[in-house]
Short mmCIF file of all heavy atoms in Angstrom, two decimals:
data_model
loop_
_atom_site.label_atom_id
_atom_site.label_comp_id
_atom_site.label_asym_id
_atom_site.label_seq_id
_atom_site.Cartn_x
_atom_site.Cartn_y
_atom_site.Cartn_z
N ARG A 809 -13.85 -50.39 59.04
CA ARG A 809 -14.04 -51.09 60.30
C ARG A 809 -12.79 -51.84 60.72
O ARG A 809 -11.89 -52.05 59.90
CB ARG A 809 -15.21 -52.06 60.17
CG ARG A 809 -16.51 -51.27 60.20
CD ARG A 809 -17.65 -52.11 59.77
NE ARG A 809 -18.39 -51.37 58.74
CZ ARG A 809 -19.64 -51.60 58.45
NH1 ARG A 809 -20.31 -52.51 59.05
NH2 ARG A 809 -20.23 -50.89 57.52
N ARG A 812 -9.81 -57.87 60.57
CA ARG A 812 -9.88 -59.15 61.24
C ARG A 812 -9.13 -60.19 60.42
O ARG A 812 -9.00 -60.06 59.22
CB ARG A 812 -11.33 -59.58 61.43
CG ARG A 812 -12.24 -59.20 60.29
CD ARG A 812 -13.64 -59.59 60.58
NE ARG A 812 -14.48 -58.48 60.96
CZ ARG A 812 -15.10 -57.68 60.09
NH1 ARG A 812 -14.95 -57.87 58.80
NH2 ARG A 812 -15.86 -56.71 60.49
N ARG A 820 -8.15 -57.30 51.82
CA ARG A 820 -8.96 -57.50 50.64
C ARG A 820 -10.45 -57.43 50.98
O ARG A 820 -11.25 -56.83 50.27
CB ARG A 820 -8.63 -58.88 50.06
CG ARG A 820 -9.22 -59.05 48.70
CD ARG A 820 -9.13 -60.47 48.23
NE ARG A 820 -10.08 -60.60 47.13
CZ ARG A 820 -9.71 -60.90 45.91
NH1 ARG A 820 -8.47 -61.12 45.62
NH2 ARG A 820 -10.62 -61.00 44.97
N ARG A 825 -15.50 -54.62 51.13
CA ARG A 825 -16.58 -54.07 51.94
C ARG A 825 -16.71 -52.57 51.71
O ARG A 825 -17.79 -52.04 51.57
CB ARG A 825 -16.31 -54.35 53.43
CG ARG A 825 -17.49 -53.97 54.30
CD ARG A 825 -17.03 -53.46 55.62
NE ARG A 825 -16.61 -54.47 56.56
CZ ARG A 825 -17.42 -55.05 57.42
NH1 ARG A 825 -18.70 -54.79 57.42
NH2 ARG A 825 -16.95 -55.90 58.29
N GLY A 828 -18.26 -52.18 48.37
CA GLY A 828 -19.63 -52.67 48.46
C GLY A 828 -20.49 -51.67 49.21
O GLY A 828 -21.58 -51.31 48.79
N GLU A 831 -21.39 -48.47 47.32
CA GLU A 831 -22.51 -48.60 46.39
C GLU A 831 -23.84 -48.68 47.11
O GLU A 831 -24.88 -48.42 46.55
CB GLU A 831 -22.34 -49.88 45.56
CG GLU A 831 -21.28 -49.75 44.50
CD GLU A 831 -21.24 -51.00 43.64
OE1 GLU A 831 -22.30 -51.39 43.12
OE2 GLU A 831 -20.17 -51.59 43.52
N ARG A 832 -23.76 -49.07 48.36
CA ARG A 832 -24.98 -49.27 49.12
C ARG A 832 -25.55 -47.95 49.63
O ARG A 832 -26.57 -47.95 50.29
CB ARG A 832 -24.58 -50.15 50.30
CG ARG A 832 -25.68 -50.74 51.10
CD ARG A 832 -25.04 -51.30 52.35
NE ARG A 832 -25.81 -52.37 52.93
CZ ARG A 832 -25.37 -53.08 53.94
NH1 ARG A 832 -24.17 -52.87 54.43
NH2 ARG A 832 -26.12 -54.00 54.46
N PRO A 860 -31.66 -54.48 61.25
CA PRO A 860 -31.69 -55.88 61.67
C PRO A 860 -31.78 -56.01 63.19
O PRO A 860 -31.14 -55.26 63.92
CB PRO A 860 -30.37 -56.45 61.14
CG PRO A 860 -29.49 -55.28 60.92
CD PRO A 860 -30.39 -54.14 60.57
N GLY A 861 -32.59 -56.97 63.61
CA GLY A 861 -32.70 -57.26 65.04
C GLY A 861 -33.74 -56.42 65.75
O GLY A 861 -33.94 -56.57 66.94
N LEU A 862 -34.41 -55.52 65.01
CA LEU A 862 -35.41 -54.68 65.66
C LEU A 862 -36.81 -55.23 65.43
O LEU A 862 -37.09 -55.83 64.41
CB LEU A 862 -35.34 -53.25 65.12
CG LEU A 862 -34.41 -52.30 65.89
CD1 LEU A 862 -32.98 -52.75 65.79
CD2 LEU A 862 -34.56 -50.89 65.40
N ARG A 882 -31.41 -50.04 69.15
CA ARG A 882 -31.05 -51.45 69.20
C ARG A 882 -30.02 -51.66 70.30
O ARG A 882 -29.04 -50.92 70.40
CB ARG A 882 -30.46 -51.87 67.86
CG ARG A 882 -29.84 -53.25 67.90
CD ARG A 882 -29.56 -53.77 66.52
NE ARG A 882 -28.15 -53.78 66.24
CZ ARG A 882 -27.59 -54.57 65.31
NH1 ARG A 882 -28.34 -55.35 64.57
NH2 ARG A 882 -26.30 -54.53 65.11
N VAL A 884 -27.48 -54.53 71.60
CA VAL A 884 -26.88 -55.83 71.32
C VAL A 884 -26.18 -56.29 72.59
O VAL A 884 -25.31 -55.59 73.10
CB VAL A 884 -25.87 -55.75 70.15
CG1 VAL A 884 -25.28 -57.12 69.86
CG2 VAL A 884 -26.54 -55.19 68.91
N PRO A 887 -25.03 -62.94 75.01
CA PRO A 887 -25.93 -63.87 75.67
C PRO A 887 -25.31 -64.41 76.96
O PRO A 887 -24.08 -64.58 77.04
CB PRO A 887 -26.14 -64.98 74.64
CG PRO A 887 -25.06 -64.82 73.63
CD PRO A 887 -24.63 -63.38 73.66
N GLY A 889 -23.78 -66.45 79.82
CA GLY A 889 -23.02 -67.69 79.92
C GLY A 889 -22.10 -67.97 78.74
O GLY A 889 -21.51 -69.04 78.66
N TYR A 890 -21.98 -67.01 77.83
CA TYR A 890 -21.11 -67.21 76.67
C TYR A 890 -19.87 -66.32 76.76
O TYR A 890 -19.94 -65.20 77.28
CB TYR A 890 -21.84 -66.84 75.37
CG TYR A 890 -22.85 -67.85 74.91
CD1 TYR A 890 -24.12 -67.89 75.46
CD2 TYR A 890 -22.54 -68.76 73.90
CE1 TYR A 890 -25.06 -68.81 75.02
CE2 TYR A 890 -23.47 -69.68 73.46
CZ TYR A 890 -24.73 -69.70 74.03
OH TYR A 890 -25.65 -70.61 73.59
N ALA A 891 -18.76 -66.83 76.24
CA ALA A 891 -17.56 -66.00 76.11
C ALA A 891 -17.61 -65.35 74.73
O ALA A 891 -18.19 -65.90 73.80
CB ALA A 891 -16.32 -66.88 76.23
N HIS A 893 -16.00 -64.02 71.24
CA HIS A 893 -14.85 -64.13 70.34
C HIS A 893 -14.78 -62.95 69.40
O HIS A 893 -13.71 -62.53 68.99
CB HIS A 893 -14.96 -65.41 69.50
CG HIS A 893 -14.71 -66.64 70.31
ND1 HIS A 893 -13.75 -66.71 71.27
CD2 HIS A 893 -15.33 -67.84 70.29
CE1 HIS A 893 -13.76 -67.92 71.82
NE2 HIS A 893 -14.71 -68.62 71.24
N ARG A 894 -15.92 -62.44 69.02
CA ARG A 894 -15.97 -61.40 68.01
C ARG A 894 -17.21 -60.56 68.28
O ARG A 894 -18.29 -61.11 68.49
CB ARG A 894 -16.18 -62.08 66.66
CG ARG A 894 -15.38 -61.56 65.54
CD ARG A 894 -15.65 -62.48 64.37
NE ARG A 894 -14.43 -63.15 63.97
CZ ARG A 894 -13.58 -62.65 63.08
NH1 ARG A 894 -13.82 -61.50 62.50
NH2 ARG A 894 -12.50 -63.31 62.76
N ARG A 895 -17.06 -59.26 68.24
CA ARG A 895 -18.25 -58.41 68.38
C ARG A 895 -18.19 -57.30 67.35
O ARG A 895 -17.44 -56.35 67.49
CB ARG A 895 -18.32 -57.79 69.78
CG ARG A 895 -18.83 -58.76 70.81
CD ARG A 895 -19.43 -58.05 71.99
NE ARG A 895 -20.78 -57.58 71.69
CZ ARG A 895 -21.53 -56.94 72.57
NH1 ARG A 895 -21.07 -56.65 73.76
NH2 ARG A 895 -22.75 -56.56 72.25
N GLU A 896 -18.96 -57.45 66.31
CA GLU A 896 -19.01 -56.43 65.27
C GLU A 896 -20.35 -55.74 65.23
O GLU A 896 -20.47 -54.62 64.76
CB GLU A 896 -18.74 -57.08 63.90
CG GLU A 896 -17.38 -57.73 63.81
CD GLU A 896 -17.25 -58.64 62.61
OE1 GLU A 896 -18.16 -58.67 61.74
OE2 GLU A 896 -16.24 -59.34 62.54
N ARG A 897 -21.37 -56.45 65.68
CA ARG A 897 -22.72 -55.88 65.64
C ARG A 897 -22.82 -54.84 66.75
O ARG A 897 -22.49 -55.13 67.88
CB ARG A 897 -23.76 -56.98 65.82
CG ARG A 897 -23.68 -58.03 64.72
CD ARG A 897 -24.54 -59.24 65.03
NE ARG A 897 -25.94 -58.89 65.08
CZ ARG A 897 -26.69 -58.98 66.17
NH1 ARG A 897 -26.17 -59.40 67.30
NH2 ARG A 897 -27.96 -58.65 66.15
N GLN A 923 -38.32 -58.64 58.23
CA GLN A 923 -36.95 -59.19 58.38
C GLN A 923 -35.92 -58.07 58.51
O GLN A 923 -34.91 -58.03 57.79
CB GLN A 923 -36.60 -60.14 57.22
CG GLN A 923 -37.36 -61.44 57.24
CD GLN A 923 -37.04 -62.34 58.44
OE1 GLN A 923 -36.37 -61.96 59.39
NE2 GLN A 923 -37.55 -63.56 58.41
N GLY A 924 -36.18 -57.16 59.41
CA GLY A 924 -35.19 -56.13 59.71
C GLY A 924 -35.12 -55.00 58.69
O GLY A 924 -34.21 -54.18 58.77
N VAL A 925 -36.05 -54.95 57.75
CA VAL A 925 -36.07 -53.85 56.79
C VAL A 925 -37.34 -53.03 56.98
O VAL A 925 -38.44 -53.56 56.88
CB VAL A 925 -35.98 -54.36 55.33
CG1 VAL A 925 -36.08 -53.19 54.36
CG2 VAL A 925 -34.68 -55.11 55.11
N GLN B 165 -10.29 -67.14 48.39
CA GLN B 165 -9.78 -65.78 48.55
C GLN B 165 -8.98 -65.37 47.32
O GLN B 165 -8.90 -64.22 46.98
CB GLN B 165 -8.86 -65.68 49.78
CG GLN B 165 -9.58 -65.79 51.09
CD GLN B 165 -10.31 -64.51 51.46
OE1 GLN B 165 -10.11 -63.49 50.84
NE2 GLN B 165 -11.17 -64.58 52.45
N ARG B 174 -21.94 -57.95 43.72
CA ARG B 174 -21.62 -56.94 44.72
C ARG B 174 -21.67 -57.64 46.07
O ARG B 174 -22.69 -58.15 46.46
CB ARG B 174 -22.66 -55.83 44.66
CG ARG B 174 -22.39 -54.70 45.60
CD ARG B 174 -23.00 -53.43 45.05
NE ARG B 174 -24.43 -53.38 45.23
CZ ARG B 174 -25.00 -52.95 46.36
NH1 ARG B 174 -24.28 -52.56 47.36
NH2 ARG B 174 -26.31 -52.89 46.45
N THR B 177 -20.27 -57.51 53.34
CA THR B 177 -19.74 -58.28 54.46
C THR B 177 -20.60 -57.99 55.68
O THR B 177 -20.51 -56.91 56.24
CB THR B 177 -18.30 -57.86 54.73
OG1 THR B 177 -17.61 -57.82 53.50
CG2 THR B 177 -17.61 -58.83 55.66
N ASN B 179 -21.98 -57.78 59.42
CA ASN B 179 -21.37 -57.75 60.73
C ASN B 179 -21.77 -58.99 61.51
O ASN B 179 -22.92 -59.42 61.47
CB ASN B 179 -21.79 -56.50 61.50
CG ASN B 179 -21.04 -55.27 61.01
OD1 ASN B 179 -19.91 -55.37 60.56
ND2 ASN B 179 -21.69 -54.14 61.09
N VAL B 180 -20.80 -59.54 62.21
CA VAL B 180 -21.00 -60.82 62.86
C VAL B 180 -20.50 -60.78 64.31
O VAL B 180 -19.46 -60.19 64.58
CB VAL B 180 -20.23 -61.91 62.06
CG1 VAL B 180 -20.08 -63.19 62.85
CG2 VAL B 180 -20.91 -62.18 60.74
N ASP B 181 -21.25 -61.39 65.20
CA ASP B 181 -20.78 -61.64 66.57
C ASP B 181 -20.57 -63.13 66.71
O ASP B 181 -21.34 -63.92 66.15
CB ASP B 181 -21.86 -61.25 67.61
CG ASP B 181 -22.00 -59.73 67.74
OD1 ASP B 181 -21.15 -59.00 67.22
OD2 ASP B 181 -22.98 -59.31 68.39
N ILE B 182 -19.52 -63.52 67.43
CA ILE B 182 -19.32 -64.95 67.68
C ILE B 182 -19.12 -65.15 69.18
O ILE B 182 -18.29 -64.47 69.80
CB ILE B 182 -18.11 -65.51 66.89
CG1 ILE B 182 -18.35 -65.32 65.38
CG2 ILE B 182 -17.92 -66.99 67.20
CD1 ILE B 182 -17.20 -65.77 64.51
N PHE B 183 -19.90 -66.07 69.72
CA PHE B 183 -19.82 -66.38 71.14
C PHE B 183 -19.58 -67.88 71.30
O PHE B 183 -19.83 -68.67 70.40
CB PHE B 183 -21.13 -66.00 71.85
CG PHE B 183 -21.54 -64.56 71.63
CD1 PHE B 183 -22.62 -64.26 70.82
CD2 PHE B 183 -20.85 -63.53 72.23
CE1 PHE B 183 -23.01 -62.94 70.61
CE2 PHE B 183 -21.22 -62.21 72.03
CZ PHE B 183 -22.31 -61.91 71.22
N GLU B 184 -19.11 -68.23 72.47
CA GLU B 184 -18.86 -69.65 72.73
C GLU B 184 -19.20 -69.98 74.17
O GLU B 184 -18.92 -69.18 75.08
CB GLU B 184 -17.37 -69.96 72.49
CG GLU B 184 -17.03 -71.42 72.75
CD GLU B 184 -15.55 -71.75 72.54
OE1 GLU B 184 -14.77 -70.85 72.15
OE2 GLU B 184 -15.19 -72.91 72.79
N ASN B 185 -19.81 -71.13 74.37
CA ASN B 185 -19.91 -71.67 75.72
C ASN B 185 -19.45 -73.12 75.67
O ASN B 185 -18.91 -73.58 74.66
CB ASN B 185 -21.31 -71.48 76.31
CG ASN B 185 -22.36 -72.33 75.65
OD1 ASN B 185 -22.06 -73.16 74.80
ND2 ASN B 185 -23.61 -72.12 76.04
N GLU B 188 -21.40 -75.04 72.69
CA GLU B 188 -21.53 -74.65 71.29
C GLU B 188 -20.82 -73.34 70.97
O GLU B 188 -20.43 -72.58 71.86
CB GLU B 188 -23.02 -74.48 70.94
CG GLU B 188 -23.65 -73.35 71.74
CD GLU B 188 -25.12 -73.13 71.42
OE1 GLU B 188 -25.75 -73.98 70.79
OE2 GLU B 188 -25.63 -72.06 71.81
N VAL B 192 -23.83 -64.85 65.22
CA VAL B 192 -24.98 -63.98 64.99
C VAL B 192 -24.60 -62.98 63.91
O VAL B 192 -23.59 -62.30 64.02
CB VAL B 192 -25.36 -63.24 66.30
CG1 VAL B 192 -26.69 -62.50 66.12
CG2 VAL B 192 -25.45 -64.19 67.49
N ASP B 194 -25.93 -59.89 61.06
CA ASP B 194 -26.94 -58.93 60.60
C ASP B 194 -27.08 -59.07 59.09
O ASP B 194 -26.22 -58.62 58.34
CB ASP B 194 -26.49 -57.50 60.91
CG ASP B 194 -26.67 -57.14 62.37
OD1 ASP B 194 -27.45 -57.80 63.05
OD2 ASP B 194 -26.03 -56.16 62.82
N PRO B 196 -30.18 -58.23 56.93
CA PRO B 196 -31.58 -57.84 56.82
C PRO B 196 -32.18 -58.08 55.43
O PRO B 196 -31.46 -58.07 54.43
CB PRO B 196 -31.56 -56.35 57.15
CG PRO B 196 -30.20 -55.89 56.80
CD PRO B 196 -29.30 -57.05 57.12
N GLY B 197 -33.49 -58.27 55.42
CA GLY B 197 -34.25 -58.26 54.18
C GLY B 197 -34.16 -59.49 53.32
O GLY B 197 -34.36 -59.42 52.12
N ARG B 224 -26.88 -56.86 38.75
CA ARG B 224 -25.74 -57.41 39.46
C ARG B 224 -26.23 -57.99 40.77
O ARG B 224 -26.81 -57.29 41.58
CB ARG B 224 -24.76 -56.28 39.75
CG ARG B 224 -23.38 -56.51 39.17
CD ARG B 224 -22.52 -55.33 39.46
NE ARG B 224 -21.39 -55.72 40.29
CZ ARG B 224 -20.65 -54.86 40.94
NH1 ARG B 224 -20.94 -53.60 40.93
NH2 ARG B 224 -19.63 -55.27 41.64
N TYR B 228 -24.39 -61.48 50.40
CA TYR B 228 -23.80 -61.34 51.72
C TYR B 228 -22.92 -62.56 51.90
O TYR B 228 -23.38 -63.69 51.70
CB TYR B 228 -24.86 -61.42 52.81
CG TYR B 228 -25.69 -60.19 53.02
CD1 TYR B 228 -27.02 -60.16 52.62
CD2 TYR B 228 -25.16 -59.09 53.69
CE1 TYR B 228 -27.81 -59.04 52.87
CE2 TYR B 228 -25.94 -57.98 53.93
CZ TYR B 228 -27.27 -57.96 53.52
OH TYR B 228 -28.04 -56.88 53.77
N ARG B 230 -19.55 -64.43 54.24
CA ARG B 230 -18.52 -64.44 55.29
C ARG B 230 -18.00 -65.87 55.41
O ARG B 230 -18.79 -66.81 55.40
CB ARG B 230 -19.14 -64.10 56.62
CG ARG B 230 -19.01 -62.73 57.32
CD ARG B 230 -17.96 -61.81 57.00
NE ARG B 230 -16.93 -61.70 58.03
CZ ARG B 230 -17.01 -60.93 59.10
NH1 ARG B 230 -18.07 -60.22 59.34
NH2 ARG B 230 -16.01 -60.87 59.95
N TYR B 247 -33.53 -67.62 61.46
CA TYR B 247 -33.50 -66.27 60.93
C TYR B 247 -34.72 -65.50 61.45
O TYR B 247 -35.86 -65.88 61.18
CB TYR B 247 -33.53 -66.36 59.40
CG TYR B 247 -33.39 -65.04 58.67
CD1 TYR B 247 -32.30 -64.22 58.89
CD2 TYR B 247 -34.35 -64.63 57.75
CE1 TYR B 247 -32.16 -63.01 58.22
CE2 TYR B 247 -34.22 -63.44 57.06
CZ TYR B 247 -33.12 -62.63 57.29
OH TYR B 247 -32.99 -61.45 56.63
N THR B 248 -34.47 -64.49 62.26
CA THR B 248 -35.55 -63.69 62.84
C THR B 248 -35.21 -62.21 62.76
O THR B 248 -34.09 -61.81 63.08
CB THR B 248 -35.71 -64.00 64.36
OG1 THR B 248 -35.37 -65.35 64.60
CG2 THR B 248 -37.10 -63.71 64.85
N ASN B 249 -36.17 -61.40 62.35
CA ASN B 249 -36.00 -59.94 62.28
C ASN B 249 -34.73 -59.53 61.53
O ASN B 249 -34.07 -58.56 61.90
CB ASN B 249 -35.96 -59.33 63.69
CG ASN B 249 -37.32 -59.36 64.35
OD1 ASN B 249 -38.34 -59.50 63.69
ND2 ASN B 249 -37.34 -59.22 65.66
N GLY B 250 -34.36 -60.27 60.52
CA GLY B 250 -33.19 -59.91 59.74
C GLY B 250 -31.86 -60.30 60.37
O GLY B 250 -30.81 -59.86 59.93
N VAL B 251 -31.93 -61.12 61.42
CA VAL B 251 -30.70 -61.56 62.10
C VAL B 251 -30.60 -63.08 62.00
O VAL B 251 -31.54 -63.80 62.31
CB VAL B 251 -30.70 -61.13 63.58
CG1 VAL B 251 -29.47 -61.65 64.30
CG2 VAL B 251 -30.76 -59.60 63.70
N ARG B 255 -26.04 -72.00 65.42
CA ARG B 255 -25.49 -72.69 66.58
C ARG B 255 -24.72 -73.90 66.12
O ARG B 255 -25.27 -74.77 65.43
CB ARG B 255 -26.63 -73.14 67.52
CG ARG B 255 -27.35 -71.98 68.14
CD ARG B 255 -28.54 -72.40 68.97
NE ARG B 255 -29.27 -71.21 69.36
CZ ARG B 255 -28.93 -70.45 70.41
NH1 ARG B 255 -27.92 -70.80 71.19
NH2 ARG B 255 -29.62 -69.36 70.69
#
Side-chain angles (χ1 to χ4, degrees):
Chain A
R809 285 167 230 202
R812 37 183 104 85
R820 191 191 163 118
R825 188 214 282 270
E831 286 185 53
R832 192 192 205 173
L862 269 65
R882 170 167 108 158
V884 181
Y890 284 81
H893 288 321
R894 222 174 243 271
R895 282 203 79 179
E896 299 166 8
R897 300 170 63 244
Q923 290 294 10
V925 177
Chain B
Q165 289 283 349
R174 183 153 77 85
T177 313
N179 283 330
V180 165
D181 287 348
I182 300 177
F183 306 108
E184 179 181 358
N185 69 6
E188 63 179 15
V192 189
D194 283 340
R224 238 178 118 196
Y228 282 108
R230 256 339 253 277
Y247 185 57
T248 328
N249 289 341
V251 177
R255 294 175 188 277

